[in-house]
Amino acid sequence: MSTTAYTMTIDGKAVTSAASINAIDPATEQVIATVPDASREQLDQAVASARHALSAWAATPLNERRAVLGRIAGILAANAPTLGALLSLEQGKPLAKAQEEVFISAHWCAEVAKLPLEPDTVTDTPESLVQVHRVPVGVVGAIVPWNFPVALAFFKIAPALLAGNTMVLKPSPMTPLTALKFGELLREALPPGVFNVVSGGDALGPWMTAHPGIDKISFTGSTATGRKVMESGAATLKRLTLELGGNDAAIVLPDVDVDAVAATIFWGAFANSAQFCLAIKRLYIHDAVYDKLAQALAKLANSVKLGAGTEPGVELGPVQNKAQFERLKGLLADCKAQGYKILAGGEVADKPGYFFPVTLIDNPPETSRIVQEEPFGPILPLLRFTDIDDAVARANASPYGLGGSVWTADEAKGLAIGRRLQAGTVWVNEIHTIAPNKPMAGHKQSGLGVEQGEDGLLEYTLPQTVSLKRTAGAGA
């Protein structure tokens, strides 16, 4: 394909560039398209466009902005087959899951549009009126990763636009195609400049985070990159929302019904080929049920169908990119070098595509790389424990604090243990039930700020307190 098939959206218009980058199919390692590689000048144009559109969009009545989000939801739903097929091709996930991601994004827009954003009246007396209004931050720079490139984009787009901000969106250079296409689809739904999409390589992100015309950065990605975003934005005191890495722990108690929970736990770890910030990455299993659950998980691992996302019946696709694939192979090689027992998987086929088998590591040491690092791929350590206090302490002994889960027949005990986990999102007997009205925040080095829910919406606003001293007889 040529760059004419994929164009950026700047000021509501299709824009190409002199330079381009390749999009790679992770199932074949072949180039499937070339896309624009934005220049610094084109980023300046996108930011200027967003700045120019800001005052009119911010002044648009809230109910009209709600209606626009509803129209965006309709556009996404109507184009889900096309967008889903493109997403499956460039990201690698199964086609059904790719289309589901598009529908989730449409649902998100529709539901975020219902969140409250009206002024809060603090005081209303004959003498005084005090109200807190929520005003837009300004121009938002949104930087989106490659694991859920559509959903994670709209997790930012919907609240930012509802709050009256304008946006410049940068998709990952690993998965630019779907974002460029939905940017094209939304040109008719929004005033020019309100929503811009620019694609590019490694230089584009730092240009955005340092750009003086961008007021807020909303970033999802690794903790290491999040630190750089924070440093880069410091010069202009940018507002930041950072959704960063995690090393989520799950704790399985001895009273659990293994047969009932094994599949849910398995997919809690391996959905999207474990390329999921909230995936189970450390599985602490009580000794009383360790062997039974390990066997059940190994059976599932050995039966799951791995292949190109576009193939019928595939349950897990390839790892999305070569760098991540090589990192996973390095972690696996370390496990083998240390002599850890492998319960399932462990052999990477020598064939095209970034296919990594679901791999289970049997009770490695707490100090091992596979326990301490975030794999972000389908390799999982299973860890024995006998004392719940020890399990909680081990789960919390991490610089990360994104999510966690507890699995038990005793709901009260599960809730009590869950409250002890140092994580922003905790599930008991379920996992990954995120929703537009449920706030999500990373503790420790897993993030800064809040996404989702009313709290997440307010991240795209600034409080403006307006106080009025009433004059006697005024308004009579």
Side-chain angles (χ1 to χ4, degrees):
M1 297 182 186
S2 69
T3 53
T4 55
Y6 294 94
T7 56
M8 300 184 291
T9 298
I10 298 176
D11 199 29
K13 303 178 183 68
V15 177
T16 60
S17 64
S20 63
I21 57 175
N22 291 331
I24 306 294
D25 178 353
T28 64
E29 303 181 52
Q30 300 299 307
V31 174
I32 50 175
T34 57
V35 302
D37 185 3
S39 66
R40 188 186 289 265
E41 290 72 24
Q42 287 175 317
L43 174 62
D44 289 343
Q45 292 165 11
V47 174
S49 170
R51 178 69 56 191
H52 182 262
L54 178 61
S55 59
W57 181 247
T60 300
L62 179 59
N63 282 340
E64 290 186 24
R65 298 202 298 265
R66 295 190 197 279
V68 168
L69 284 186
R71 289 199 293 275
I72 292 173
I75 290 170
L76 290 175
N79 289 276
T82 300
L83 293 173
L86 190 56
L87 175 58
S88 179
L89 181 64
E90 69 168 338
Q91 202 279 336
K93 65 184 63 184
L95 179 60
K97 290 296 182 182
Q99 292 183 351
E100 179 182 295
E101 182 175 334
V102 179
F103 280 116
I104 287 172
S105 302
H107 170 73
W108 223 265
C109 289
E111 292 302 308
V112 167
K114 302 174 185 177
L115 294 176
L117 198 60
E118 286 72 23
D120 179 29
T121 299
V122 178
T123 303
D124 187 0
T125 69
E127 295 79 25
S128 177
L129 175 67
V130 179
Q131 290 185 318
V132 180
H133 297 256
R134 306 302 305 203
V135 300
V137 175
V139 175
V140 174
I143 301 177
V144 180
W146 45 259
N147 56 334
F148 291 94
V150 179
L152 291 176
F154 281 94
F155 287 4
K156 303 177 188 304
I157 295 166
L161 297 189
L162 179 63
N165 302 280
T166 55
M167 177 174 281
V168 178
L169 174 76
K170 186 195 88 67
S172 166
M174 307 295 182
T175 51
L177 304 183
T178 318
L180 292 172
K181 280 300 181 185
F182 69 64
E184 177 184 329
L185 291 170
L186 298 186
R187 288 173 195 160
E188 300 303 317
L190 289 158
V194 170
F195 180 62
N196 306 270
V197 183
V198 291
S199 55
D202 292 339
L204 184 56
W207 292 344
M208 289 179 65
T209 59
H211 201 291
I214 293 178
D215 302 294
K216 174 185 173 72
I217 292 288
S218 181
F219 169 82
T220 301
S222 72
T223 294
T225 305
R227 294 190 191 100
K228 295 179 182 178
V229 171
M230 195 171 187
E231 181 180 359
S232 179
T236 52
L237 289 180
K238 281 182 174 52
R239 272 55 183 173
L240 298 174
T241 300
L242 305 176
E243 199 266 287
L244 306 178
N247 197 359
D248 292 15
I251 298 177
V252 181
L253 273 58
D255 62 0
V256 78
D257 182 342
V258 170
D259 294 331
V261 304
T264 305
I265 290 174
F266 179 87
W267 290 110
F270 296 112
N272 202 44
S273 297
Q275 298 167 123
F276 202 151
C277 58
L278 287 163
I280 297 171
K281 299 183 178 74
R282 294 176 292 153
L283 183 55
Y284 293 93
I285 309 170
H286 193 277
D287 186 68
V289 292
Y290 182 95
D291 291 336
K292 183 175 182 180
L293 181 55
Q295 290 171 8
L297 295 175
K299 183 178 180 180
L300 288 163
N302 290 327
S303 66
V304 72
K305 184 174 180 180
L306 176 65
T310 53
E311 294 177 7
V314 164
E315 296 171 279
L316 290 177
V319 173
Q320 200 284 318
N321 59 80
K322 184 176 182 179
Q324 187 62 20
F325 184 56
E326 294 298 329
R327 184 172 182 278
L328 288 167
K329 290 197 293 184
L331 280 172
L332 176 59
D334 180 73
C335 290
K336 291 181 175 180
Q338 300 301 323
Y340 305 150
K341 183 179 179 181
I342 297 174
L343 300 177
E347 297 300 325
V348 181
D350 184 14
K351 65 176 185 178
Y354 308 130
F355 293 103
F356 194 94
V358 174
T359 301
L360 302 174
I361 309 299
D362 183 22
N363 200 34
E366 198 72 24
T367 55
S368 61
R369 283 185 60 196
I370 194 60
V371 176
Q372 293 299 315
E373 298 181 20
E374 178 187 22
F376 215 72
I379 181 169
L380 176 71
L382 311 185
L383 303 156
R384 289 183 186 264
F385 76 91
T386 56
D387 178 77
I388 188 59
D389 291 335
D390 171 63
V392 171
R394 290 160 69 186
N396 287 338
S398 170
Y400 300 107
L402 194 59
S405 58
V406 182
W407 304 84
T408 175
D410 187 330
E411 294 179 3
K413 182 182 288 187
L415 288 169
I417 294 170
R419 289 294 308 278
R420 295 170 62 189
L421 295 180
Q422 296 170 358
T425 300
V426 176
W427 291 282
V428 179
N429 296 331
E430 63 177 11
I431 195 163
H432 299 160
T433 53
I434 60 174
N437 61 347
K438 293 170 66 171
M440 185 178 76
H443 293 189
K444 297 189 278 189
Q445 293 187 38
S446 283
L448 182 71
V450 184
E451 292 193 308
Q452 323 312 349
E454 294 181 33
D455 291 331
L457 174 58
L458 294 183
E459 290 273 320
Y460 290 94
T461 71
L462 297 172
Q464 182 187 62
T465 303
V466 179
S467 300
L468 168 68
K469 179 181 179 181
R470 286 185 164 133
T471 304

